[in-house]
Amino acid sequence: MIQVHYFAHLREVSGLEVENLEAAGKTIAELKEMLSKKYHLAGFDTVMTAVNEEFADEETVLQEGDHVAFIPPVSGG
Amino acid sequence: MNFQITKDPIDMNEMMDKVTSRNAGAVTLFVGTVRELTKNKKTLYLIYEAYEAMAVKKLAQIGDEIQLKWPETKVAITHRVGKLEITDVAVVIAVSTPHRNDAYEANRYAIERIKEIVPIWKKEHWEDGQEWVGNQLETVAYPSGKPEESDL
């Protein structure tokens, strides 16, 4: 299992803060495609991804127990 | 704890104390506050949300970057989350350095980096609607799925 964290508009659209998924072995790109279909998420291409609290690229392969977070363009400050 | 996310009001004196040093000749405090008008739109209040575990790491990374660029610097950053009213303080950046020019420059660097790499989002609530704000100018896209090397 991997744990997926949602924030900002992604949290509102999916209706979830966190969910556990069977996605070990998939790449970030594959996971994004799967979830964008599942939740009808628009604009997923400008969303960054973090794996275990560090930015990761689309080719990163997910491992069992990973924490994945989708990071929409940030607006702190 | 020089890098924090908090739900509570930020204590300026505490921020100042965190960077106080006998080697410092200057301290700059940047205080980011909630503005009422943006492009003639009236904000009622904001909600800030953070991925706290990662945000704290990224704030600490900014501190490390500043150490490399401006040696002998002390940095403390606290960002508030939750519901903030107009004039409330959202973020405080404290920087102390031996000489004043570095204190200004390093502090400016910190706020610009926060807007690039720290997972914090704000939701604007106006009289006639609400919206999560992305990159304010819509100038940054991440086609590869993460910031480019130069952004990190």
Side-chain angles (χ1 to χ4, degrees):
Chain A
M1 295 284 253
I2 60 154
Q3 196 164 61
V4 179
H5 300 253
Y6 299 94
F7 298 97
H9 72 276
L10 297 176
R11 181 175 286 188
E12 291 177 356
V13 175
S14 68
L16 295 168
E17 292 187 18
V18 175
E19 72 175 326
N20 291 305
L21 292 172
E22 295 290 352
K26 286 187 189 298
T27 64
I28 299 285
E30 288 166 349
L31 179 67
K32 273 187 165 182
E33 196 187 334
M34 186 178 109
L35 292 173
S36 64
K37 280 182 188 156
K38 186 174 174 187
Y39 297 116
H40 307 288
L41 298 171
F44 225 20
D45 51 340
T46 61
V47 171
M48 296 181 278
T49 308
V51 176
N52 302 329
E53 298 157 12
E54 201 43 73
F55 289 110
D57 60 32
E58 299 283 278
E59 290 75 44
T60 303
V61 177
L62 297 168
Q63 314 286 326
E64 196 64 28
D66 277 349
H67 284 246
V68 175
F70 294 115
I71 315 281
V74 302
S75 50
Chain B
M1 296 287 283
N2 276 27
F3 304 96
Q4 284 186 303
I5 301 293
T6 180
K7 291 183 175 68
D8 303 319
I10 302 169
D11 182 335
M12 310 276 181
N13 288 323
E14 192 187 317
M15 295 301 292
M16 176 97 185
D17 289 346
K18 285 181 183 180
V19 300
T20 296
S21 160
R22 295 180 73 88
N23 290 328
V27 176
T28 50
L29 280 184
F30 172 82
V31 180
T33 56
V34 178
R35 175 179 61 236
E36 184 165 45
L37 288 175
T38 300
K39 293 176 188 163
N40 295 323
K41 254 189 149 170
K42 190 173 175 181
T43 298
L44 300 179
Y45 62 91
L46 299 179
I47 305 280
Y48 278 96
E49 182 176 293
Y51 180 17
E52 182 168 343
M54 183 174 171
V56 169
K57 282 188 185 176
K58 290 288 149 189
L59 292 174
Q61 179 188 323
I62 293 170
D64 291 343
E65 290 173 6
I66 287 173
Q67 292 291 350
L68 286 175
K69 284 173 174 278
W70 295 276
E72 292 184 78
T73 299
K74 291 185 86 171
V75 184
I77 306 173
T78 299
H79 202 298
R80 194 174 168 193
V81 293
K83 183 178 179 182
L84 272 72
E85 309 285 347
I86 308 302
T87 76
D88 278 353
V89 173
V91 60
V92 176
I93 302 166
V95 175
S96 73
T97 59
H99 301 285
R100 68 181 178 282
N101 192 50
D102 288 352
Y104 278 112
E105 285 187 8
N107 201 308
R108 176 65 188 259
Y109 177 85
I111 187 67
E112 301 304 334
R113 291 296 276 156
I114 286 172
K115 289 172 182 290
E116 290 169 349
I117 64 164
V118 182
I120 299 173
W121 302 271
K122 71 175 169 191
K123 189 176 193 178
E124 291 261 10
H125 288 255
W126 301 295
E127 286 169 310
D128 59 348
Q130 55 191 47
E131 187 178 51
W132 285 103
V133 179
N135 163 253
Q136 272 99 341
L137 299 172
E138 297 293 326
T139 51
V140 182
Y142 300 102
S144 67
K146 66 172 191 173
E148 301 305 323
E149 208 59 39
S150 60
D151 294 331
L152 291 174

